[in-house]
Amino acid sequence: MLEKIKRLWIDIYNSEEKLDELIQFLESEKVEDNISDKDWYKKAVIYSLYVDLYAGNFRNLTKKIEYLKDLGVNTIWLLPVLDSPLMDQGFDISDYYKIREDLGTNEDFKCFLDVAHQNGIKVIFDIAINHTSSKHPWFISAKSSKDSKYRDYYIWNDNTEKYKEARLLFKGMVNSNWEYNEETKDYYFHRFYPFQPDLNYKNPNVLIEMIKVLIFWKKMGIDGFRMDAAPFLWKEEGTNCENLPQTHKILKIFRLALDYVQEGSILVAEANLRPNDVVEYFGNGDECHAGYHFPLMPKFFLTLAEKDYSHVLEALKIENTPEIPDSCRWFTFLRCHDELTLEFVSEEERIKMNNYYLKDKLWTFREGEGISGRLYELMDKDIRKVLISFSMLFTTEGSPIIYYGDELVIENDYNFYNKMVEMTGFKDSRFLNRGPINWDYVENKLNDVNSKEYIVYNEIKKMLKVRNDYIEFFVEKGQIIPVKDKSLYVVKKRYRDRMMWAFHNLTNEDKVVELKKEGLDILSNTKIELLDLKPYEYKWILFE
């Protein structure tokens, strides 16, 4: 591994400068490799949450592990938890080695990790590797003087003419990728908000610093890292500064460094791209372990709105979702902390999606290229649609992600939105789906068998239990069956000589399907020959 690191390093920097320092550090950190299940992420059911909004702090989150285990979750994805002024909900990091004070101490975090692991739950967390907060000590020093030790940790220019082909990621909210610095009378580069200055990976010290950060948290017990804004690491004049070859080499070095110290940690590529481009972040199974299948999210919504499975079928065709290395995995989802992205649909589909799901102009994101909002709100507050969406997610492809509160049909939080707009000065519609959970209210509803919260929570819990009981089917890739009736969404999964078929009625009418032979409805544990599907009902049938 060290030889591979050396070759990549020289490819990037055209010298061995600082290489000895990195090698000595990795050799000093190496531990005995005793990880038994290195492919755990292929069986993952992931629950994504903000610690403060979900439980307040890590001590309280530790108490919620029993709730998550009971639901059927085996992996927790923590949205940003490192020290931050919270101008972008933690994606602006001011100290890479410290848990945010409002969430607790590093010791509280270690206790949380230990309890999670004792309960068979892995933990992934977000780390912004492309940029820091403008409140980070490196940047405070860098912007104060051109002679600062940390000046070259960031990107500076006398004007805004450099990297002109780099697109605006926050179109409509940010007008330039350059921000003027009064103290040194020049400009610094940022791809996101002005308070998130980009790191300069052309300085090898930056790469070494970030490797040290990953190793620090790995040794504390973190099982994986979501590499936030990974496509933007390397900047080169005359390019769009995205997905450049050097970026991939840097990620390979991150992977090799972690594996050298001890295998078992995963890297998740936060690459908001089409699958044909995301696969580049898998390399040959030597870069990131997992990546997000962003286009599948809007295709699920289109499929349900138009009662037509062909949207998902098209998204999963080999020309749109290519084969990936055996050691890699797609992470799939209905909703997340960001918007329902419409970047990867056609212009006609974008118009349709806004017509179907933009129920309030306040929900729009990036001038029509996305829709914010909670799943329950987007699904017309119809729990049948919520549940059939989860069944489609759980049976179709990859390792599923549940966004916190969606199992409890949480609604948009307008109070939180207004609070964050006032705090940040940005009308970011994503704040609508980032509000806190009121646990007193939730616990009351979970004790009411007639409440929508009880019904949805327990149906999802049942699906996840069955999924785990038959996990061998769900590790395998599913196949959408192109049946004549477009409003019947059917997924086939095979394990050896057994098959599992998931049937979904996308309509508001009853459907009857005659099976060729008797099967076992594994959600109700009953044998069945005639499939009677009520409106928006789904059934998973096992054929021996």
Side-chain angles (χ1 to χ4, degrees):
M1 290 185 190
L2 294 182
E3 285 302 315
K4 290 180 180 178
I5 290 175
K6 290 177 183 178
R7 287 197 296 272
L8 288 165
W9 189 275
I10 293 170
D11 283 347
I12 295 170
Y13 296 112
N14 294 315
S15 80
E16 295 187 9
E17 181 187 1
K18 294 288 181 177
L19 184 55
D20 286 345
E21 178 184 336
L22 174 61
I23 299 302
Q24 289 173 16
F25 168 74
L26 293 177
E27 288 176 337
S28 71
E29 296 292 318
K30 188 172 177 60
V31 297
E32 183 179 346
D33 191 356
N34 57 1
I35 304 297
S36 58
D37 184 6
K38 295 172 185 175
D39 291 337
W40 57 268
Y41 52 95
K42 294 184 179 182
K43 304 171 186 173
V45 173
I46 304 156
Y47 193 91
S48 171
L49 61 88
Y50 289 100
V51 177
D52 53 337
L53 302 173
Y54 187 78
N57 55 49
F58 274 109
R59 290 188 180 185
N60 290 335
L61 182 58
T62 303
K63 298 173 185 176
K64 295 297 180 188
I65 286 175
E66 184 177 346
Y67 166 91
L68 295 171
K69 183 180 181 181
D70 183 62
L71 178 61
V73 168
N74 58 22
T75 304
I76 297 173
W77 162 19
L78 298 173
L79 289 153
V81 297
L82 299 183
D83 204 27
S84 167
L86 289 178
M87 293 295 286
D88 187 26
Q89 290 207 247
F91 289 99
D92 47 330
I93 298 172
S94 55
D95 187 340
Y96 282 99
Y97 292 94
K98 182 183 177 184
I99 294 295
R100 262 186 12 238
E101 287 186 7
D102 62 305
L103 304 182
T105 64
N106 284 17
E107 289 72 27
D108 292 334
F109 179 62
K110 180 66 167 69
C111 178
F112 159 75
L113 287 174
D114 290 344
V115 174
H117 291 155
Q118 289 162 15
N119 283 273
I121 294 177
K122 302 285 189 181
V123 180
I124 300 169
F125 79 6
D126 268 19
I127 185 158
I129 56 172
N130 174 70
H131 50 264
T132 70
S133 165
S134 58
K135 302 297 184 184
H136 194 290
W138 296 343
F139 188 74
I140 292 173
S141 174
K143 75 184 183 70
S144 68
S145 169
K146 292 184 179 182
D147 297 324
S148 165
K149 172 184 175 181
Y150 298 105
R151 181 70 175 181
D152 289 339
Y153 276 44
Y154 299 91
I155 300 165
W156 302 88
N157 206 44
D158 290 335
N159 54 52
T160 62
E161 295 302 305
K162 201 172 185 180
Y163 306 141
K164 292 194 76 171
E165 294 179 39
R167 64 190 170 110
L168 289 176
L169 298 177
F170 284 173
K171 184 171 62 176
M173 291 183 290
V174 177
N175 298 319
S176 173
N177 286 325
W178 292 96
E179 186 75 7
Y180 187 67
N181 177 44
E182 183 65 39
E183 293 174 75
T184 53
K185 308 298 182 185
D186 52 9
Y187 298 83
Y188 64 87
F189 190 73
H190 61 88
R191 292 306 302 270
F192 295 88
Y193 287 116
F195 51 77
Q196 292 166 304
D198 276 31
L199 287 164
N200 177 22
Y201 277 89
K202 289 184 177 179
N203 179 351
N205 287 311
V206 170
L207 180 51
I208 290 175
E209 290 280 7
M210 299 309 292
I211 289 171
K212 288 180 177 179
V213 167
L214 296 184
I215 300 300
F216 173 83
W217 292 108
K218 173 187 174 70
K219 294 191 79 172
M220 187 176 286
I222 276 288
D223 301 290
F225 302 90
R226 176 182 177 268
M227 309 295 273
D228 184 59
F232 311 108
L233 298 185
W234 195 268
K235 287 78 175 172
E236 201 66 59
E237 186 69 358
T239 74
N240 66 0
C241 300
E242 298 180 27
N243 312 305
L244 298 180
Q246 295 91 335
T247 289
H248 291 287
K249 290 172 184 177
I250 289 168
L251 290 169
K252 289 177 193 289
I253 289 177
F254 282 137
R255 166 77 177 264
L256 286 164
L258 288 166
D259 285 351
Y260 179 78
V261 171
Q262 185 185 39
E263 291 190 47
S265 302
I266 70 165
L267 296 181
V268 184
E270 195 271 317
N272 190 354
L273 303 165
R274 297 181 188 278
N276 281 311
D277 296 318
V278 175
V279 293
E280 298 298 322
Y281 287 84
F282 296 141
N284 294 315
D286 60 351
E287 199 166 321
C288 292
H289 301 74
Y292 299 96
H293 199 308
F294 279 95
L296 200 53
M297 173 172 52
K299 296 298 187 180
F300 280 134
F301 282 82
L302 271 173
T303 288
L304 200 54
E306 300 200 332
K307 302 172 179 30
D308 183 350
Y309 66 75
S310 62
H311 295 292
V312 174
L313 177 65
E314 183 68 23
L316 294 177
K317 284 182 178 178
I318 192 73
E319 59 265 32
N320 296 319
T321 302
E323 294 291 334
I324 61 177
D326 288 341
S327 61
C328 297
R329 186 72 163 166
W330 290 113
F331 283 180
T332 57
F333 49 97
L334 298 169
R335 290 298 295 112
C336 64
H337 61 289
D338 283 332
E339 77 283 5
L340 169 54
T341 181
L342 303 179
E343 284 188 86
F344 309 114
V345 298
S346 68
E347 182 60 30
E348 180 185 358
E349 289 173 325
R350 187 175 297 124
I351 292 169
K352 285 182 177 180
M353 283 290 289
N354 277 291
N355 286 336
Y356 294 141
Y357 293 107
L358 187 64
K359 306 176 197 307
D360 185 329
K361 289 182 179 179
L362 188 65
W363 301 5
T364 193
F365 184 78
R366 205 181 287 158
E367 299 179 353
E369 291 182 2
I371 303 170
S372 298
R374 280 286 184 173
L375 179 65
Y376 180 55
E377 298 261 12
L378 293 166
M379 292 295 170
D380 301 313
K381 297 188 177 181
D382 186 336
I383 65 172
R384 300 173 306 168
K385 292 181 180 179
V386 170
L387 288 170
I388 196 173
S389 299
F390 272 113
S391 177
M392 291 160 62
L393 174 69
F394 294 156
T395 59
T396 299
E397 176 72 29
S399 296
I401 299 169
I402 301 170
Y403 183 55
Y404 80 98
D406 280 349
E407 82 283 10
L408 298 167
V409 288
I410 296 293
E411 300 182 12
N412 290 350
D413 194 324
Y414 291 91
N415 289 332
F416 184 76
Y417 169 84
N418 291 328
K419 172 186 170 184
M420 292 304 297
V421 169
E422 183 178 354
M423 174 181 166
T424 66
F426 293 99
K427 292 184 178 181
D428 189 332
S429 60
R430 297 173 301 175
F431 294 140
L432 290 168
N433 43 269
R434 296 179 178 179
I437 289 186
N438 181 338
W439 281 104
D440 289 338
Y441 173 84
V442 165
E443 287 167 5
N444 181 56
K445 290 297 183 180
L446 289 180
N447 288 321
D448 177 2
V449 296
N450 295 313
S451 72
K452 63 183 187 297
E453 291 83 0
Y454 179 92
I455 293 167
V456 172
Y457 174 88
N458 281 282
E459 284 298 315
I460 291 174
K461 175 180 174 180
K462 179 172 67 177
M463 281 190 265
L464 291 180
K465 182 182 185 308
V466 170
R467 192 178 190 278
N468 186 58
D469 289 344
Y470 293 89
I471 192 61
E472 63 273 14
F473 288 97
F474 294 92
V475 170
E476 300 299 321
K477 185 175 181 179
Q479 178 186 355
I480 307 292
I481 304 300
V483 297
K484 186 176 181 180
D485 181 357
K486 293 292 184 67
S487 63
L488 184 63
Y489 182 100
V490 184
V491 184
K492 180 178 75 173
K493 289 182 175 289
R494 180 187 294 273
Y495 179 70
R496 295 178 180 170
D497 59 346
R498 306 163 77 204
M499 286 195 300
M500 192 279 289
W501 293 58
F503 296 86
H504 303 80
N505 178 4
L506 303 176
T507 75
N508 203 24
E509 300 172 354
D510 290 349
K511 282 188 185 294
V512 177
V513 180
E514 188 171 347
L515 303 177
K516 292 183 178 180
K517 66 175 182 177
E518 184 180 73
L520 177 67
D521 178 351
I522 54 178
L523 290 174
S524 64
N525 198 33
T526 56
K527 291 184 178 181
I528 190 170
E529 287 186 13
L530 191 68
L531 193 62
D532 185 5
L533 292 171
K534 297 181 178 64
Y536 299 110
E537 190 177 14
Y538 49 89
K539 291 186 178 180
W540 303 355
I541 311 299
L542 177 67
F543 297 101
E544 299 287 356

